[in-house]
Amino acid sequence: MVEKPAALRMVNIEKYFGLVHALRNINIEVGSNEIVGLIGDNGAGKSTLVKILTGVYPPSSGEFYIAGRKVNPRTYSVKRAHQYGIETVYQDKSLGEKQALWRNFFIGRQITYPFGFINVKKEKEIAQEIMLNTIGFRGRGITVNSKVNKLSGGERQGVAIGRAMHFEAELIVLDEPTVALSLKEVRKVLNFVHKIKEGGKACVYITHDMQDVYEVSDRFIIMDRGEVVASITKADISLKALDEFLLGYSQGLKDKELS
Ligand SMILES: Nc1ncnc2c1ncn2[C@@H]1O[C@H](COP(=O)(O)OP(=O)(O)OP(=O)(O)O)[C@@H](O)[C@H]1O
Ligand SMILES: [Mg+2]
């Protein structure tokens, strides 16, 4: 079997916002079926890194590769990132509020008859299939006709992830998807990440919740003030040790160790 190329590889990525040096010499890889927890204190550069990956900002310099293909920063965009198989799930912002659930699955990728009308029946069938088999919503009042604004935060996350999985996203980015969710909803999001793993895809999971990120990740990439300071596989660190490692950075203790 031919080994699949890494879902993402960044080489010497730098990002400046004016004089702010937000990312310094970023060299990372995310395997084709790897769940990477991207962690670090506020302002470490996590969101900036994923915004470069998802086509929101171009890097100031450096190169990156998606599934082995080199990205051209001049033509890269959010839309192009979708074409490359990258989906991003943000808290609450990723779904059209007043739409029925089934419509939401097909924004920008309608199934049409040859003469151009939307094939509503087909779209509803597929939405139903995704809800049952990919997301695992069974009963409890949610149907394909439910309005998105009636869903809980966790259910919205589920729909967004279900969409990402159905359209065979190769790499799903979750930037603090569980902020303000109830424990039960957080559990669902974590289960979805397990499904990404089982589905053979990759994920970058950003959160400040160490217990959550520890559960779902294969490896942790730790950032501090714009730099990647460590990459640690789960087998090599306990949750407690990871917590203490991070705390060391947030309290500036690592600086003292170095001097
Ligand atoms: N659009 C922007 N313009 C100027 N500076 C920015 C911009 N976006 C981010 N920054 C700066 O870049 C640095 C990294 O920010 P980023 O949002 O990537 O951090 P983060 O690791 O996601 O933090 P958090 O955990 O708080 O979300 C910060 O110093 C931030 O102020
Ligand atoms: Mg952030």
Side-chain angles (χ1 to χ4, degrees):
M1 210 177 83
V2 182
E3 184 91 350
K4 267 175 111 178
L8 169 69
R9 187 157 75 90
M10 285 186 162
V11 183
N12 301 334
I13 290 283
E14 304 272 343
K15 181 67 184 174
Y16 287 89
F17 293 108
L19 291 176
V20 178
H21 198 172
L23 295 177
R24 291 169 193 263
N25 196 30
I26 303 294
N27 289 282
I28 59 164
E29 234 180 72
V30 177
S32 61
N33 183 205
E34 189 179 31
I35 312 294
V36 167
L38 185 58
I39 51 187
D41 217 349
N42 298 110
K46 306 178 297 292
S47 294
T48 304
L49 190 155
V50 300
K51 281 176 184 164
I52 288 173
L53 160 65
T54 56
V56 179
Y57 305 136
S60 302
S61 63
E63 295 170 354
F64 64 109
Y65 299 79
I66 295 167
R69 289 186 291 175
K70 188 172 174 183
V71 170
N72 179 348
R74 277 189 294 278
T75 55
Y76 197 58
S77 63
V78 173
K79 198 172 158 203
R80 188 60 64 91
H82 282 151
Q83 291 164 356
Y84 274 70
I86 294 173
E87 293 278 348
T88 315
V89 178
Y90 298 105
Q91 173 77 25
D92 287 352
K93 287 184 205 145
S94 44
L95 301 175
E97 279 284 314
K98 289 191 180 130
Q99 278 175 332
L101 217 164
W102 67 272
R103 282 191 187 279
N104 210 280
F105 283 105
F106 296 97
I107 298 170
R109 7 189 182 202
Q110 301 288 0
I111 299 173
T112 53
Y113 291 108
F115 38 90
F117 291 111
I118 293 172
N119 189 338
V120 172
K121 185 164 174 279
K122 185 86 190 155
E123 289 196 355
K124 282 194 181 186
E125 271 169 24
I126 293 174
Q128 176 73 21
E129 208 271 330
I130 297 171
M131 282 179 59
L132 283 179
N133 298 330
T134 308
I135 315 177
F137 285 161
R138 287 169 206 285
R140 289 175 303 117
I142 306 174
T143 72
V144 290
N145 296 311
S146 300
K147 293 276 186 294
V148 168
N149 59 8
K150 297 280 188 309
L151 303 182
S152 75
E155 286 162 350
R156 291 176 203 210
Q157 288 293 322
V159 172
I161 294 172
R163 200 175 57 192
M165 292 190 76
H166 177 75
F167 292 103
E168 305 246 307
E170 291 298 325
L171 175 58
I172 298 171
V173 178
L174 298 111
D175 192 348
E176 308 212 28
T178 59
V179 171
L181 295 189
S182 71
L183 279 179
K184 221 170 109 196
E185 291 176 340
V186 171
R187 175 45 43 209
K188 279 192 208 152
V189 172
L190 296 177
N191 289 343
F192 295 139
V193 181
H194 288 300
K195 285 202 169 167
I196 295 171
K197 177 77 182 174
E198 287 161 21
K201 310 297 186 191
C203 175
V204 174
Y205 190 90
I206 299 175
T207 179
H208 287 277
D209 189 307
M210 282 306 115
Q211 205 168 336
D212 288 355
V213 76
Y214 191 82
E215 176 188 317
V216 296
S217 303
D218 297 316
R219 183 162 58 94
F220 312 99
I221 292 181
I222 297 149
M223 294 188 70
D224 183 53
R225 287 168 295 171
E227 288 180 271
V228 170
V229 292
S231 158
I232 310 171
T233 39
K234 178 147 80 181
D236 292 335
I237 195 163
S238 68
L239 171 58
K240 187 160 174 281
L242 183 66
D243 232 347
E244 282 165 4
F245 187 83
L246 264 149
L247 208 61
Y249 276 104
S250 65
Q251 295 173 340
L253 298 176
K254 301 282 177 192
D255 298 335
K256 290 188 192 112
E257 275 171 27
L258 292 173
S259 61

